[in-house]
Amino acid sequence: MALLDFVRDIGNKLFSNEDEAPAKITQHIENNNPGLTNLSVEVKDGVATLSGTADSAAAKEKAILMTGNTAGIESIVDNIDAPAATEQ
């Protein structure tokens, strides 16, 4: 599990209140990052918790960045299972 910090007031405006944030962020990730399964997003007080399984380290990283680049998200708790990144 990792905690990553972002700037809360900058990024894509996907939701207008925190109650709709999980569904909107999930939809945004699933539409643009097909490498995830069983994605679950929870948001409380600007902290998004991501859970699920990624096909690759790149898919996991993309989901984290997509969430962090959303206005209203300040921190991310990463609970996504993914293969280890490989050096190229």
Side-chain angles (χ1 to χ4, degrees):
M1 179 172 71
L3 179 66
L4 303 142
D5 293 324
F6 291 84
V7 179
R8 187 173 186 161
D9 298 329
I10 298 175
N12 295 324
K13 180 86 169 130
L14 298 179
F15 56 90
S16 56
N17 64 60
E18 210 165 77
D19 291 335
E20 65 183 28
K24 296 290 187 174
I25 292 170
T26 299
Q27 180 182 17
H28 179 62
I29 292 171
E30 288 177 345
N31 288 344
N32 298 287
N33 189 10
L36 293 167
T37 55
N38 300 318
L39 178 63
S40 172
V41 178
E42 296 177 19
V43 178
K44 180 157 176 74
D45 298 328
V47 178
T49 301
L50 302 179
S51 302
T53 303
D55 294 343
S56 66
K60 174 182 176 173
E61 182 177 321
K62 184 174 179 180
I64 291 168
L65 291 174
M66 290 173 74
T67 304
N69 289 324
T70 301
I73 301 300
E74 182 176 320
S75 298
I76 297 174
V77 177
D78 165 28
N79 290 329
I80 298 175
D81 293 324
T86 56
E87 291 186 34
Q88 295 185 11

